[in-house]
Amino acid sequence: NSYIDDGSGTGALIFKSNTYSFRNAANDEQIATFNENGAVELYHNNTKTFETTAEGAKFDTGSSSCVVRLNSNSDAESILQAFGNDFLLKAPSGGGIFLNTNSNESAINCIANGAVELYHDNSKKFETESFGATLTGNLDVTSGSLKLLTDNQSIQVGAGADLRILHDGT
């Protein structure tokens, strides 16, 4: 083993260089690179998989799938995964997924074992339920047609279904 030990010092251990490169003992695999005024790059099996950028960070596995796992202190794991042209956002077991606007208003809530809720201006407008869905407000169809009925199905309006439109196929 080799050590750099500044455990008894009173100041910081400082390395000075424009670029730092860490390689394996055989010097045939890159492990990490730290560039002055630039990216920090991390490698897995000699493939750059993580890089800081001016906008934030970039993950790239060099394959058709890239996974970012977010673990909380309760070992719950959330997953962001890009695979080909698809993108998956997965919450921990029993958890939901909530998309908010930058003003912290609800936009879309995906509740575990429950509803999907859509919001407009922080007001719930559409919600899936075990029997179907609930719409709050108006449904406007501006082009095309709205097809709701097949044979022997009806639209019912009112608490006691006092207005009923039935399509019996004739």
Side-chain angles (χ1 to χ4, degrees):
N1 295 325
S2 300
Y3 296 93
I4 298 174
D5 185 352
D6 190 33
S8 60
T10 58
L13 178 61
I14 298 172
F15 296 91
K16 287 187 174 185
S17 178
N18 292 336
T19 300
Y20 299 97
S21 180
F22 294 88
R23 301 183 63 81
N24 67 344
N27 200 29
D28 61 359
E29 280 194 25
Q30 190 71 23
I31 297 171
T33 303
F34 302 85
N35 298 296
E36 181 179 18
N37 298 320
V40 172
E41 302 167 353
L42 302 178
Y43 294 76
H44 177 81
N45 198 22
N46 210 34
T47 299
K48 182 171 45 171
T49 56
F50 178 83
E51 172 182 8
T52 61
T53 66
E55 296 85 22
K58 176 182 172 184
F59 295 87
D60 186 355
T61 62
S63 71
S64 63
S65 180
C66 183
V67 177
V68 176
R69 298 178 191 277
L70 307 170
N71 292 335
S72 70
N73 58 3
S74 64
D75 290 330
E77 182 176 72
S78 299
I79 297 173
L80 306 171
Q81 180 177 13
F83 185 77
N85 292 330
D86 296 325
F87 180 74
L88 168 72
L89 176 61
K90 182 180 177 188
S93 178
I97 296 173
F98 305 93
L99 300 177
N100 293 350
T101 64
N102 61 1
S103 59
N104 209 27
E105 291 183 350
S106 292
I108 301 172
N109 292 342
C110 303
I111 300 165
N113 301 314
V116 173
E117 303 170 340
L118 303 178
Y119 290 78
H120 175 79
D121 198 19
N122 212 31
S123 176
K124 186 175 11 174
K125 297 300 180 182
F126 186 85
E127 175 181 13
T128 62
E129 301 185 66
S130 61
F131 61 83
T134 299
L135 172 69
T136 302
N138 297 325
L139 178 62
D140 294 328
V141 179
T142 56
S143 66
S145 61
L146 179 62
K147 296 179 182 179
L148 297 174
L149 302 176
T150 60
D151 291 348
N152 298 315
Q153 291 191 339
S154 65
I155 297 173
Q156 298 178 13
V157 180
D162 49 332
L163 173 61
R164 183 173 168 211
I165 303 170
L166 172 66
H167 183 314
D168 65 4
T170 60

